[in-house]
Every structure is written in structure tokens, then in C-alpha cells.
Amino acid sequence: MTVDDHSFLTGLFNAAITAADADLVLAANLPERPKGKTVVVGAGKGAAQLAAAFERVWDGPLEGVVVTRYGYGYPTEQIRVLEASHPVPDEAGLAATAALFEAVRGLGPDDLVVALICGGGSALLPCPPEGFTLEDEAELSRVLLSSGAPISVMNTIRKQFSGIKGGRLAAAAAPAKVVSLVVSDVPFDDPAQVASGPTVPDTKTREDARHMAKAWKLTLPPKVQAWLDGELGQAPRPEDPAFDGNEVRIVASAHLSLEAAAAASRNLGVPAVILSDAIEGEARDVGKVHAAIAREVSIRNQPFQKPVVILSGGETTVTLHGRGRGGRNTEFLLSFALAAEGLPVSALAADTDGIDGSEDNAGAFADGESMGRLRERGINPSVLLAENDAYTAFEALDDLFVPGPTGTNVNDFRAILLR
């Protein structure tokens, strides 16, 4: 990959991140000041940056608490920032959940709750049903994360095994008005799916959760399955009077960020197309499909004319078969690079929150010669892909993309450049 291609693709990623800049998107979506108190709650990997931005743009007194992932804290003056484990919940997450409930307890109809919600909140807000433990919820998380099921399936099940997800936090704040300002990291921007919707009720039911678990052949922990088979503790419905008067606003999303990246590419003289901002499926399969499209463009100049940047977003999944390192974006890219080998192509795949999986990278870069360079080092890329070890592949090539936490999260970002 040339330095120019590297810089070009990084510029597109930066344009996508800027489109989700917390100060800009919050300033454009502020609710009216209430007669009473303003209480801010929030959860997600970008919650601390959202809280700091809200303090900067809000004209009036406020208080509150948000929770983010370990290492993602950010200085604030009036809003407490707590940190907890992601993607598997821990005791700090339990304490954070209790703190959010305490923040909204005892509010009246003249008070306002502003909920700053972004991706990652599902793990950061554990709240197992009565009679269950944190370990029960953690085990459920481990099963779901390794299942390959789409985020909509995972969140539907999570909401039926929780005391805070599925709108329950907003219900606890009643009769105060709740305005949810949501940074969407889910396909088609359903706010009830972001962070499993702690302040946004869902139309999905316990029966839906049972059906999805069966359809995806999920082997849930026996205690969790028994709970799911019962009817106790179901998530509140959208028509519940507790939600009357509440508002939900999508303030940033994959769609808006991909449009910004496309505009940045065109400004640099390279046409851009967006395949979709809602692509789901196995990361390695999505990688092969993207490579097939790139090959069609490279050889036949269809369905797009060269030069072109092909952009896409969404949230792929990884079904674990091996014990390697790497998240869904690096796995996508390794599969893509194998299938696109020999093409005059450069690509970047990264998570917009700055962390892909459990390592320190957001994703990686690749080109048509990456796999050849890997073999020259005595490394078989196909073996690494079979072991879910994409991180090792791009680490060996010195092609990891490590921007650090971005302060936002609008899901996967993929850019494929054909000169």
C-alpha cells in the first residue's frame, strides 16, 4: 500500500468520525430547558465524551452520571463518569447501573432526563433479574458474543433478561420527561437496539426472544433458558403510560458518517459509492462479497467505473472457531485480502469507536499484495483466518490501524479504493 493510499483512506475515516462529533450533533438536538432539574444519564463507549460535550453546549445547571468502558473516561465537571467492563459485564457495571437508577429516582413532571446513549451500553449496564447473579448475565453475554447471531437477536434476548434494558431506565424516571439522544451503531438506526435501549422501549416480546434463540440454535445457560421460557419480568411495551411525552432523537449514525466520507472522497477527486450502512453477516463472508465486487470493478469496470471508493457500514459478526486475536473488522479485512489478492486495490476496515474487538486497534489496512508479503514472512494467512487470528496477520505486516478511542461509535467503517 502506498503512503498516499494510506493517508487517503485515513482521511475518509476521519471525515466519518467528524460527522459524529459530539459537540456538533448535540448542539443541534438540545431539548428545551425544564422548569425543574436537568439530570443526565448515559451509557456506551462514547458516553464520557458525549457527557463532556453536553456540558459545553447546555446553558443551565445539570447533574448526572454516565458509564463507559475502562480506559474510555474523559474529564467532566458536573456529570460523573464511571467505567466498567466491555464486552463481558463486571461488578463495576453493576454499581454503574445502580448509580443510573439512583440519578433518576424521585424526579417530578417538571424535571428533565437527558439520556446519552451509544454503542457498548449493553455490556456496561448489567442488571440481572431478581434471583440471578452477575455471573449469569456474564455467561449469557459470552454465549451471545460467540454465537454469530446479529445484534438485533442478541439485544432482543438481553432485554428479556435485564432490569434496565428495554426502556426500564426511562420507566424508572417517570413522571419526568426523558429525551434520549442516541448515537446509532445498529443497522437501520433503530434506537431501541442501541445499547439494548435502556431508555427506549421495544416492540419485541418474550415470545420473539424465544423464537430467535431457537432459530439461531443458541444453547443458552439452563437458568437463563428457564427464565426465557417463563413470563415473569417482561420488558415494558411502548404504549406504557410511563413513556408518554418522551422523545428519541438519532443524533449521529453510520449513514450520516458514510455520506461524509463519500463527500470527502469526491472533494479529493475520487468518486464514491455507498453499498449500504446496514450490512450484517459473518465478517469473513462479507469480506468475500466485497472482494467479488472489487474484482468486478477492477476487471470489467462494473457496476462502478474506476477510479472509485466503495464504502459500507453496518455490524458484522464473528463465530469463533479458533483462539486467535482480532475483531470483526480485522477478520473482514483478512478475508477480503485473501479473496482480492492480486488486485490493484487498497482498503481500510475499522470500528468507528477506535477499538476492534479486545485489542488496541480499530482495524487495519490491506492491499492486493498484503497476503503475498505475509507468506514471504513464513505466515499462512488462511491458517490465521481459520483461527480467528486476523490481528496477528496485520501486526506482522505493520498494517494495524490504531487511532485510539474516537469518542463516538457509529459501527463498522469500510473503504475500498480502486484507482
Side-chain angles (χ1 to χ4, degrees):
M1 177 180 294
T2 68
V3 174
D4 284 346
D5 285 357
H6 185 291
S7 298
F8 177 85
L9 294 170
T10 300
L12 301 192
F13 178 84
N14 290 338
I17 298 304
T18 299
D21 178 80
D23 287 80
L24 296 178
V25 300
L26 291 181
N29 287 280
L30 292 178
E32 292 185 10
R33 283 183 58 179
K35 296 178 182 178
K37 295 194 300 184
T38 300
V39 177
V40 177
V41 294
K45 288 184 273 188
Q49 287 88 345
L50 285 171
F54 191 83
E55 288 182 344
R56 289 191 291 269
V57 300
W58 183 251
D59 180 21
L62 56 85
E63 60 187 71
V65 57
V66 301
V67 56
T68 191
R69 178 178 175 164
Y70 289 128
Y72 279 46
Y74 196 83
T76 54
E77 295 181 358
Q78 299 154 286
I79 303 169
R80 279 195 300 151
V81 174
L82 304 177
E83 297 185 9
S85 176
H86 181 282
V88 178
D90 67 355
E91 291 286 348
L94 275 180
T97 297
L100 265 64
F101 273 123
E102 182 61 31
V104 302
R105 182 173 290 117
L107 298 179
D110 290 334
D111 298 321
L112 170 69
V113 174
V114 177
L116 306 175
I117 307 298
C118 55
S122 294
L124 296 168
L125 293 176
C127 189
E130 186 175 353
F132 291 86
T133 67
L134 173 65
E135 181 52 36
D136 292 325
E137 188 162 348
E139 181 59 25
L140 173 61
S141 292
R142 285 188 283 265
V143 170
L144 293 175
L145 290 169
S146 63
S147 69
I151 191 66
S152 57
V153 170
M154 290 193 282
N155 284 352
T156 297
I157 295 170
R158 284 167 169 160
K159 291 175 190 181
Q160 296 298 333
F161 189 78
S162 175
I164 189 169
K165 300 174 175 67
R168 292 176 177 90
L169 181 60
K177 179 177 181 176
V178 179
V179 176
S180 299
L181 304 180
V182 181
V183 176
S184 173
D185 69 331
V186 299
F188 304 110
D189 299 333
D190 179 1
Q193 294 297 333
V194 182
S196 296
T199 58
V200 183
D202 197 356
T203 58
K204 298 292 190 299
T205 65
R206 182 69 58 87
E207 182 58 33
D208 291 323
R210 287 192 287 261
H211 174 76
M212 290 179 181
K214 183 177 181 180
W216 282 88
K217 299 178 181 179
L218 301 179
T219 304
L220 301 178
K223 288 177 64 179
V224 175
Q225 185 63 61
W227 174 263
L228 205 63
D229 289 338
E231 302 300 329
L232 293 175
Q234 297 193 55
R237 303 287 294 162
E239 59 269 21
D240 191 310
F243 305 116
D244 289 350
N246 289 357
E247 296 180 19
V248 181
R249 306 177 189 178
I250 298 291
V251 300
S253 69
H255 170 72
L256 296 173
S257 286
L258 288 177
E259 289 286 359
S265 181
R266 295 176 190 124
N267 287 340
L268 293 170
V270 182
V273 295
I274 299 173
L275 293 182
S276 172
D277 60 15
I279 293 176
E280 296 180 288
E282 281 288 331
R284 62 182 62 194
D285 295 336
V286 176
K288 291 176 184 177
V289 172
H290 280 63
I293 295 171
R295 188 171 294 277
E296 190 74 11
V297 173
S298 178
I299 295 172
R300 296 192 174 95
N301 242 358
Q302 64 179 28
F304 315 118
Q305 296 281 319
K306 300 187 298 290
V308 68
V309 168
I310 301 170
L311 298 166
S312 72
E315 183 166 358
T316 62
T317 51
V318 174
T319 302
L320 293 175
H321 301 288
R323 297 174 176 266
R325 298 179 294 162
R328 60 183 186 262
N329 287 285
T330 42
E331 178 143 328
F332 160 89
L333 196 65
L334 181 55
S335 177
F336 170 85
L338 277 164
E341 191 165 5
L343 295 181
V345 61
S346 299
L348 167 64
D351 195 317
T352 52
D353 69 6
I355 299 293
D356 186 38
S358 59
E359 303 300 325
D360 60 351
N361 65 311
F365 297 95
D367 59 35
E369 300 177 359
S370 294
M371 300 299 94
R373 296 198 304 273
L374 206 57
R375 294 188 188 94
E376 290 173 359
R377 291 164 169 77
I379 300 172
N380 187 330
S382 296
V383 170
L384 293 182
L385 182 60
E387 285 295 312
N388 302 115
D389 201 10
Y391 184 93
T392 295
F394 295 108
E395 182 182 43
L397 294 171
D398 196 26
D399 272 337
L400 293 171
F401 178 51
V402 189
T406 63
T408 191
N409 183 9
V410 288
N411 234 320
D412 300 339
F413 174 87
R414 295 176 288 265
I416 300 167
L417 170 64
L418 290 119
R419 292 287 191 187

